[in-house]
Amino acid sequence: MLRHRTAALIVAAGSGSRAGGDLPKQFSIVAGRPLVAYAVAAFAGHVDEVVVVIGAGQDDLARDALGHDMRLVAGGPTRRDSVANGLASLSDAVERVLVHDAARPFVSPAVIARVLAALDDHDGATPVLTVADTLVRGKGLLGEVVPRDGLHRVQTPQAFRLDTLRAAHAGWPAGDEATDDAQMVRRLGGRVALVQGEAMLDKITYPDDFATAEARLAWESRSAGGFDVHRMEAGEELWLGGVLIPHDKGLSGHSDADVALHALTDALLGTIAAGDIGTHFPPSDPQWRGAASDQFLAHAARLIADRGGRIDFVDLTLICEAPKIGPHRAAMIARIADILHLTPDRVSVKATTTERLGFTGREEGIAAQAIATISLPRTAGRGEA
Ligand code: CTP
Ligand code: MG
């Protein structure tokens, strides 16, 4: 099969004036991630290179959103200028370019494949949706109906051969505005294919569109377990579930040895396949000696939040003969809920003995096991190898 070197140009240099808000819309947070990060992630693995066009003064926002390795190009006063700057930055080795609005976060691999396939026998390709509603003219008063037959809503990503799109930009009359690239290629004589678009591709333009985008996100549920044991020793404090419990012995080990919070931390880290507590807080590192374990649990919760995830439920089982957990259960639930920013009905704390059998039965140690269930946004393209 012929290999075409393909670049994705994501235009993110607008001011988002219609969307309002403190930040330009492309940097607003949707389900835990800046909007532009969704589009960038969607193209990764489907093209050879991704370039993001940003506005003046947006460098720090873009670096925070996309990391330091992202290729950034300065945009211009109009979308057309921004695309032109992006095109100029591409090397001549690039044969095909996909131009995409950062304000359309959810790009499926299928739509990328459709526009690229159409490029084989067209000068360009754009996803479109037919218009479903009746269209009318009017200002406050109903005017004439506009026949919707043959009308389409135009979306991105739009695909072109690089030389075709460069020629369209070079030949475009300076004073004319163009809200997308397909109309430019067409006006200069090119044949642009219409391929099936997707509702998920709708652009975020107005304030209400953010809520729609969040609602459109597909979520996946993930559960993972955690397990931990610490030794009981005289002269140690007994921290369990973030609560200091009066007892004749306490747990010894890494940090404050709160076996319950450690099991919960491992369960949460497991849901995002982020290693275990030792990966993040090595026992060999002296700074964690005697450290309060609530910070480990809060760290795991933060990693999940950074991915746009939400903790649905945590369930903890303590395995010990003594102390009795019942009198402390409510305090543990309240403390864990507080650390994880959950309501207490999403935290379960249980306890059991091992009938005086084994190390827990002999009160030589306490074991804890935990299960955490979270929801993670499954954006188009994510999770596919
Ligand atoms: N865009 C751009 N450079 C510009 C203007 C727009 O790169 N000078 C980008 C936007 O960041 C957006 C896409 O083009 O991803 C589509 O434009 P639009 O939805 O109009 O975004 P804004 O121009 O930012 O919004 P508004 O028109 O409401 O100010
Ligand atoms: Mg605009």
Side-chain angles (χ1 to χ4, degrees):
M1 205 183 90
L2 207 59
R3 274 288 292 131
H4 300 284
R5 190 166 178 82
T6 305
L9 202 62
I10 299 176
V11 284
S15 54
S17 53
R18 286 170 291 176
D22 300 336
L23 292 175
K25 62 186 176 186
Q26 60 272 32
F27 299 110
S28 293
I29 303 294
V30 171
R33 304 166 85 193
L35 199 64
V36 60
Y38 287 94
V40 169
F43 284 101
H46 297 282
V47 294
D48 301 294
E49 53 192 87
V50 179
V51 175
V52 180
V53 185
I54 60 167
Q58 296 179 347
D59 285 75
D60 288 347
L61 281 168
R63 293 281 170 223
D64 283 352
L66 303 170
H68 282 266
D69 297 333
M70 194 70 236
R71 260 181 72 192
L72 302 177
V73 172
T78 67
R79 184 187 185 280
R80 184 170 61 80
D81 297 310
S82 296
V83 174
N85 291 1
L87 291 175
S89 80
L90 296 176
S91 94
D92 292 334
V94 172
E95 289 173 76
R96 307 185 300 187
V97 60
L98 290 159
V99 182
H100 182 66
D101 293 331
R104 303 179 194 269
F106 308 130
V107 189
S108 73
V111 81
I112 294 174
R114 283 199 292 274
V115 289
L116 287 176
L119 209 48
D120 286 346
D121 39 21
H122 293 84
D123 300 307
T126 181
V128 292
L129 287 180
T130 51
V131 178
D133 296 318
T134 298
L135 296 177
V136 294
R137 292 190 195 283
K139 265 195 179 143
L141 206 59
L142 186 68
E144 70 195 65
V145 169
V146 180
R148 64 174 179 235
D149 190 40
L151 290 186
H152 296 88
R153 296 200 284 127
V154 175
Q155 302 180 316
T156 74
Q158 299 180 342
F160 308 94
R161 271 184 298 280
L162 179 59
D163 49 6
T164 310
L165 190 57
R166 277 183 170 161
H169 275 261
W172 190 256
D176 285 11
E177 208 29 72
T179 47
D180 75 335
D181 298 277
Q183 61 186 271
M184 298 174 66
V185 167
R186 185 208 157 247
R187 178 128 48 116
L188 295 169
R191 288 174 66 248
V192 178
L194 302 184
V195 307
Q196 181 64 44
E198 296 177 357
M200 286 288 277
L201 276 174
D202 279 349
K203 187 159 65 75
I204 291 185
T205 304
Y206 299 105
D208 284 353
D209 297 339
F210 288 103
T212 311
E214 290 240 8
R216 276 183 173 156
L217 270 177
W219 295 85
E220 66 177 275
S221 180
R222 296 204 182 172
S223 295
F227 178 77
D228 196 27
V229 170
H230 278 284
R231 182 186 298 276
M232 279 284 230
E233 271 172 22
E236 296 276 0
E237 287 183 332
L238 179 59
W239 284 91
L240 269 184
V243 175
L244 182 59
I245 295 179
H247 195 53
D248 57 345
K249 290 187 279 190
L251 292 171
S252 78
H254 178 37
S255 68
D256 63 7
D258 188 327
V259 69
L261 296 194
H262 294 185
L264 280 169
T265 302
D266 266 2
L268 287 175
L269 291 173
T271 60
I272 50 169
D276 57 30
I277 196 168
T279 320
H280 296 265
F281 306 97
S284 53
D285 187 337
Q287 70 169 306
W288 308 123
R289 190 171 302 140
S293 295
D294 54 359
Q295 61 192 303
F296 306 155
L297 189 59
H299 175 76
R302 205 155 42 238
L303 292 181
I304 291 168
D306 286 347
R307 294 176 194 212
R310 294 167 189 165
I311 301 170
D312 294 319
F313 197 77
V314 292
D315 176 64
L316 174 71
T317 304
L318 285 160
I319 305 164
C320 60
E321 289 293 331
K324 289 283 165 245
I325 299 303
H328 308 287
R329 186 197 311 265
M332 287 185 198
I333 289 173
R335 182 73 193 114
I336 293 165
D338 188 40
I339 299 166
L340 296 178
H341 303 298
L342 294 175
T343 50
D345 59 324
R346 292 180 181 272
V347 178
S348 153
V349 173
K350 316 193 296 296
T352 185
T353 72
T354 49
E355 299 287 335
R356 300 225 147 262
L357 296 169
F359 69 87
T360 52
R362 294 187 296 272
E363 298 184 35
E364 292 164 7
I366 296 182
Q369 59 188 35
I371 297 175
T373 301
I374 71 160
S375 296
L376 270 189
R378 189 210 309 266
T379 56
R382 267 181 67 192
E384 292 170 17

